[in-house]
Amino acid sequence: PHMFHDRLREYYPKNKDDIKPYMERSDDAVFFGAYTSRRKVFENKYINNNTGTLSRYKVTFRKKMRPFGAVIGGYSNAKICLVVHSFSADSGGEYHRISDFKRFGCVPVMETFGDKLTVETLRTCAGIKFADFDNLPNAVVSELKRMNETNHGVLREEQLAIDQWWDNGIDWSSFLEKVLGPREAV
């Protein structure tokens, strides 16, 4: 849908060799976005607090999308791109965030949203991990643990397959039939 835009397209890696493998990335996780009160609660509870689930990890939590160089560097050097909804759990899909980081090779860990068909498609095809607000930190830790315990060649194949899926684009003309099956004759 139109929600998947490509405002960072000109900065996407030009070929697969430009996508840094997970284990060569310097940051565990990164978040970019407006610093709303809900996101501030998340940062204070799970990142800045000495006992917070993510306090012992290298997490960059930036309050704005400028300058683009910092954003591109953040997405390119993070193992995980984190998405926390702005104002409530009952929120849209943050498609603009997915569009921004989708081709930089990080694993998206997102707060879930109500469109179950899209969530399942993005989970299955795009490798996005979904969790509710209070389980996002555990989802990040779980994914980092999986990365550390999985063969690096297997991780690289996953990373490049997901990038290829995004590069191919979504064929919306046949999407519903592929997901739901052929239409029944009426």
Side-chain angles (χ1 to χ4, degrees):
H2 68 280
M3 287 88 60
F4 289 117
H5 56 78
D6 290 319
R7 69 181 171 176
L8 299 181
R9 175 184 292 276
E10 67 185 89
Y11 304 105
Y12 291 160
K14 302 301 182 226
N15 63 63
K16 296 191 181 313
D17 292 334
D18 294 337
I19 299 172
K20 195 181 289 188
Y22 298 130
M23 303 320 286
E24 294 177 16
R25 292 170 178 244
S26 57
D27 290 346
D28 292 316
V30 67
F31 169 83
F32 291 98
Y35 198 54
T36 63
S37 59
R38 189 166 191 277
R39 289 172 173 163
K40 185 175 184 178
V41 166
F42 184 89
E43 182 186 32
N44 289 335
K45 184 175 182 180
Y46 296 114
I47 298 170
N48 292 344
N49 182 341
N50 286 335
T51 60
T53 308
L54 298 175
S55 63
R56 63 185 174 274
Y57 295 92
K58 187 169 183 195
V59 179
T60 300
F61 206 83
R62 297 218 10 160
K63 298 155 181 73
K64 56 185 175 177
M65 289 291 295
R66 299 276 192 272
F68 275 150
V71 175
I72 294 156
Y75 290 152
S76 298
N77 289 306
K79 295 172 186 165
I80 291 173
C81 290
L82 179 63
V83 178
V84 180
H85 292 316
S86 326
F87 297 105
S88 76
D90 186 19
S91 181
E94 301 275 349
Y95 298 105
H96 59 298
R97 301 260 176 260
I98 298 169
S99 296
D100 287 343
F101 57 63
K102 68 184 180 186
R103 298 294 308 282
F104 289 102
C106 54
V107 172
V109 175
M110 295 183 65
E111 188 172 1
T112 196
F113 55 96
D115 182 344
K116 299 305 179 202
L117 177 64
T118 301
V119 166
E120 190 54 34
T121 301
L122 292 172
R123 181 189 325 273
T124 303
C125 301
I128 297 178
K129 314 301 182 201
F130 289 95
D132 63 32
F133 183 85
D134 287 315
N135 286 315
L136 277 172
N138 292 332
V140 169
V141 171
S142 176
E143 185 59 21
L144 290 170
K145 182 178 179 191
R146 185 187 80 83
M147 287 177 176
N148 285 328
E149 294 174 352
T150 303
N151 175 285
H152 294 185
V154 171
L155 285 174
R156 183 67 172 165
E157 285 178 27
E158 288 175 11
Q159 185 183 40
L160 296 178
I162 290 167
D163 179 68
Q164 186 64 54
W165 185 80
W166 282 112
D167 190 39
N168 291 344
I170 300 169
D171 179 6
W172 293 106
S173 65
S174 62
F175 176 77
L176 288 178
E177 280 192 24
K178 285 180 183 173
V179 173
L180 301 176
R183 292 180 183 184
E184 294 181 18
V186 208

